[in-house]
């Protein structure tokens, strides 16, 4: 049962409130120091990529300067950026990982 309030019903407002969350792309950025093998390891470990897809994504990062590793909700994207950045630092690599709205 919908009730009227102004020009919209409560049901209309509930539908508006139930919009899906915004999505964010997680990107890896190329640098001149991180090894290709390490990038492949990151893609497999944090983005659950099979070897072939990880290799293709790594080559895209290498050739085009960046590549999308996945699209996630904000919390998951932020977590992946932190995990990848920390992992790279722990292993002495300057690999950059960032997110942007999809």
């Amino acid at each position: 049962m919908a009730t009227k309030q102004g020009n919209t019903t409560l049901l209309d407002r509930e539908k508006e409130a139930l919009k899906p969350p915004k999505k964010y792309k997680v990107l890896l950025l190329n640098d001149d120091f991180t090894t290709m093998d390490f990038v492949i390891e990151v893609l497999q470990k944090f983005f659950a990529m099979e070897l072939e897809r990880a290799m293709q994504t790594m080559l895209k990062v290498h050739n085009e300067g960046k590549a999308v590793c996945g699209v996630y909700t904000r919390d998951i994207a932020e977590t992946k950026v932190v995990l990848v950045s920390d992992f790279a630092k722990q292993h002495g690599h300057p690999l950059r990982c960032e997110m942007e709205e999809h």
Side-chain angles (χ1 to χ4, degrees):
M1 175 168 105
T3 60
K4 279 282 200 185
Q5 281 191 343
N7 292 333
T8 62
T9 64
L10 288 177
L11 186 59
D12 290 336
R13 289 204 321 248
E14 285 180 15
K15 285 181 184 176
E16 288 177 17
L18 295 177
K19 290 180 184 174
K22 289 182 182 177
K23 298 285 187 155
Y24 294 82
K25 297 183 281 189
V26 176
L27 305 150
L28 284 184
L29 306 178
N30 189 39
D31 64 69
D32 293 332
F33 303 101
T34 305
T35 64
M36 293 179 177
D37 288 337
F38 185 77
V39 174
I40 290 170
E41 180 182 354
V42 165
L43 292 167
Q44 290 181 305
K45 181 178 183 82
F46 296 101
F47 300 97
M49 290 188 188
E50 304 257 342
L51 179 59
E52 184 63 32
R53 182 164 175 232
M55 289 175 65
Q56 291 171 354
T57 303
M58 175 275 298
L59 286 172
K60 186 168 183 161
V61 172
H62 178 72
N63 293 323
E64 298 178 23
K66 64 181 174 181
V68 176
C69 304
V71 179
Y72 308 94
T73 58
R74 183 183 190 115
D75 290 346
I76 294 172
E78 287 175 343
T79 300
K80 289 200 179 278
V81 168
V82 169
L83 290 172
V84 169
S85 299
D86 288 350
F87 186 73
K89 283 180 191 172
Q90 289 170 1
H91 290 85
H93 294 286
L95 181 65
R96 288 186 44 219
C97 184
E98 59 186 38
M99 61 187 258
E100 65 182 40
E101 197 169 324
H102 183 60

